[in-house]
Amino acid sequence: MAERHNAVIAYRPSRAPAILALAILGLALGAGFLPVLLLGLRQGIAGLDSYLLRVLMFTLLQAGLSTVLSVALGLPLARALARQGTFPGRSILLRLLNLPLALPAIVVIIGLIEVYGSGGWFGGVFSLYGLTGILLAHLFFNAPLAARLILADLERIPEESWKLAAQLGLASWSLWRFVEWPAIRNGVASAALLIFLLCASSFAVVLTLGGGPAATTLEVAIYQSLRADFDPQRAAMLALVQFGLCAVSALVAQRWGGLLQDVPMLRLAGRRFDGRRIVARLLDLGLIALFLFILLPPLLALVASGITHVSMTILLLRALLTSLVLASASAVLAFLLVWPLAMLAVRSTSWRRLVAVAVLAAWIVPPAALATGWFISLIAYAGPVWLSALLVIAMNAMMALPFVARVLTPALSRSAESHDRLCLSLGLRGWNRFRAVELPAVRQASGLALVMALILSLGDLTAISLFGTQDFVTLPALIYRQMGSYRFDEAIGTAVVLGLVVLVFSLLADRWSKP
């Protein structure tokens, strides 16, 4: 083992590509953050007006409530799935937990309007626009995420713990207190912080369901300041506050292991001996039914209504082609930036820490804050479509960096452990090593990383809303425009097309994720 460790340490890939990648990231972050910082400092305390404070309070309110509701449903759902073990449809239910993570926000919003809007299936029960609609949409996305993360922690509990608990005759509360809660405590906190950060920087949900100035978050207020009011100074102050909020959340999350933890494939864990009484079974069944009631109606409504409204117009085909080209370019850029960084990170502790910060930088400096700085820096050059396309590609690539790194780094680590010693003895380096060793060893992981980045970029509305033009439109932007001009039938048809495209790539990613 010591020999292998020393052989791995002895191999050092060229640092030039990694330094270039860090320089590109540093330039992008600097161009986004420094203009915002300078404008914000120039305004000083005067920039903290009542509007900014009101927007900040609503951002915290909706993110906090969304987090509480998501964990409040996700935690008991994960426990119900864990303790009931095998039952008909469990594998399908586990797949449903992953579905909201892949669906673009604008597609889900169309489904929610079809169900809870004024003319929807449950229309009139409550107003979908405002805080209620925002919370419902965030619950749709984040309750399955919380359940998936917590369920993975529950399945890590050794089978011996369940056997010992059964021998001691521990009641349900004692089992929770002494076995389950210690195993998932840090995971619950980490999941809650991740959900809070996602909700605090939510854009598409708040933009479409916010219902006006009374329900505006920092992310949407920045967009309105740049695109509607053309007020870079106000946008800069809002972006500074947004940066502070995200940075604090990300730093606190490190206390519980970071924002993006490894999540193993969901599988049936060791046999449990609790949850066999009829009351427990009925309670768990009720929780699962509640989850399905939240998740399935918007999806069914979208398919039922949208399939008859798909119209492959020239505008839709152009938007589809634009989406695929931009998403592909973003995925490739994210991959090219992460690869050299991950190659060094798996062989050096100091590089590992640096890379961890670098790939999360675009989450700590949120998209709207980055966009504000880029907007201020490039305002004199605004107009050309190619510049807008480059900015959209760059922003989506930076947002995809953590996901690409999470897939590539473990695969490269396994490759290093298996092949570094042999490559050293054969003198394989550079391109020859990449072609003969690295590429075959991580081909599956590379494909999965590219597809995940592609899916993320396909559904993004933030970048295209900030940098798009009248003639430069992607599918999410087209859906939003159709909704804004009250062409809802066309919007739902476009949403179905986007959903199908994302579903195809999601199935491909699922296939590549299997060992």
Side-chain angles (χ1 to χ4, degrees):
M1 183 65 67
E3 280 187 10
R4 173 176 291 187
H5 180 73
N6 291 335
V8 172
I9 294 299
Y11 176 72
R12 286 287 185 271
S14 173
R15 296 184 180 183
I19 293 173
L20 177 60
L22 287 176
I24 293 173
L25 289 175
L27 179 62
L29 291 170
F33 180 67
L34 291 180
V36 168
L37 180 62
L38 292 175
L39 268 182
L41 292 177
R42 191 178 302 166
Q43 294 181 82
I45 301 298
L48 300 174
D49 55 14
S50 59
Y51 171 76
L52 188 150
L53 295 176
R54 186 172 69 250
V55 171
L56 174 61
M57 292 305 297
F58 183 80
T59 301
L60 295 173
L61 174 66
Q62 62 85 24
L65 289 176
S66 297
T67 302
V68 170
L69 291 173
S70 297
V71 175
L73 177 59
L75 175 56
L77 174 63
R79 190 168 186 248
L81 290 170
R83 73 177 183 172
Q84 290 308 318
T86 303
F87 57 86
R90 187 180 193 271
S91 60
I92 297 175
L93 191 59
L94 294 182
R95 288 182 179 274
L96 286 176
L97 289 178
N98 295 325
L99 188 59
L101 304 179
L103 285 174
I106 194 68
V107 172
V108 173
I109 290 166
I110 293 288
L112 291 173
I113 293 173
E114 275 290 287
V115 175
Y116 301 105
S118 57
W121 294 0
F122 306 134
V125 175
F126 55 81
S127 174
L128 183 61
Y129 297 95
L131 180 60
T132 304
I134 293 172
L135 294 179
L136 182 62
H138 284 164
L139 187 64
F140 179 95
F141 284 110
N142 296 315
L145 174 61
R148 185 175 186 268
L149 293 171
I150 297 170
L151 180 56
D153 286 335
L154 286 172
E155 292 187 336
R156 292 190 184 102
I157 299 176
E159 187 172 358
E160 290 74 14
S161 297
W162 303 120
K163 290 180 180 179
L164 179 60
Q167 291 171 356
L168 295 175
L170 294 183
S172 180
W173 169 250
S174 298
L175 193 66
W176 164 258
R177 180 182 177 187
F178 295 112
V179 178
E180 294 177 304
W181 178 243
I184 68 172
R185 179 175 51 204
N186 287 350
V188 170
S190 180
L193 282 165
L194 174 59
I195 292 170
F196 179 85
L197 185 58
L198 292 173
C199 294
S201 58
S202 176
F203 180 78
V205 169
V206 181
L207 183 65
T208 51
L209 298 179
T216 298
T217 59
L218 290 167
E219 198 92 357
V220 175
I222 293 170
Y223 163 76
Q224 292 171 341
S225 297
L226 290 176
R227 295 303 298 261
D229 304 331
F230 196 73
D231 188 350
Q233 289 189 337
R234 168 162 285 181
M237 183 56 72
L238 289 164
L240 269 184
V241 175
Q242 175 80 330
F243 164 74
L245 178 62
C246 292
V248 169
S249 299
L251 291 174
V252 172
Q254 298 306 309
R255 167 66 177 77
W256 287 280
L259 290 172
L260 289 178
Q261 299 181 353
D262 289 319
V263 180
M265 295 295 293
L266 296 178
R267 61 193 185 280
L268 189 60
R271 182 188 174 193
R272 295 181 55 154
F273 301 92
D274 60 322
R276 296 295 176 260
R277 295 182 178 180
I278 186 65
V279 175
R281 289 183 180 274
L282 290 176
L283 180 60
D284 290 344
L285 181 62
L287 288 168
I288 294 172
L290 176 61
F291 167 73
L292 293 175
F293 180 76
I294 293 173
L295 188 68
L296 291 183
L299 300 177
L300 295 175
L302 179 67
V303 174
S305 300
I307 203 70
T308 59
H309 292 104
V310 174
S311 179
M312 302 303 291
T313 62
I314 296 297
L315 181 60
L316 188 148
L317 292 174
R318 186 186 303 139
L320 173 60
L321 179 61
T322 302
S323 294
L324 291 173
V325 170
L326 293 180
S328 300
S330 297
V332 171
L333 178 58
F335 183 88
L336 292 177
L337 289 173
V338 168
W339 179 278
L341 296 175
M343 285 285 289
L344 286 172
V346 300
R347 297 173 174 88
S348 169
T349 303
S350 57
W351 273 95
R352 191 175 304 125
R353 296 194 187 102
L354 182 60
V355 171
V357 174
V359 298
L360 277 176
W363 282 31
I364 298 174
V365 183
L370 272 179
T372 303
W374 293 355
F375 184 90
I376 295 169
S377 302
L378 300 173
I379 190 171
Y381 307 98
V385 173
W386 65 266
L387 179 59
S388 299
L390 287 179
L391 292 175
V392 171
I393 291 169
M395 179 173 288
N396 285 337
M398 294 188 70
M399 295 306 297
L401 291 179
F403 300 95
V404 175
R406 184 60 62 187
V407 176
L408 269 186
T409 304
L412 287 172
S413 179
R414 291 190 295 269
S415 175
E417 291 177 2
S418 302
H419 302 123
D420 272 9
R421 185 177 181 181
L422 177 61
C423 289
L424 281 172
S425 64
L426 295 176
L428 278 177
R429 301 183 64 86
W431 169 253
N432 289 330
R433 176 188 168 105
F434 172 79
R435 178 179 55 83
V437 178
E438 302 290 1
L439 187 59
V442 300
R443 180 181 287 113
Q444 185 182 41
S446 299
L448 177 60
L450 286 168
V451 171
M452 288 178 65
L454 182 72
I455 292 172
L456 182 70
S457 301
L458 275 174
D460 177 73
L461 182 61
T462 306
I464 194 65
S465 295
L466 290 164
F467 299 121
T469 63
Q470 189 65 32
D471 300 321
F472 178 50
V473 183
T474 61
L475 286 176
L478 179 60
I479 294 170
Y480 181 68
R481 290 186 185 183
Q482 290 169 337
M483 293 173 63
S485 57
Y486 302 100
R487 292 178 291 154
F488 192 75
D489 288 345
E490 296 180 20
I492 194 171
T494 307
V496 168
V497 173
L498 176 57
L500 288 174
V501 172
V502 170
L503 179 62
V504 169
F505 285 110
S506 299
L507 293 174
L508 185 60
D510 182 66
R511 179 180 178 184
W512 282 346
S513 65
K514 295 178 180 178

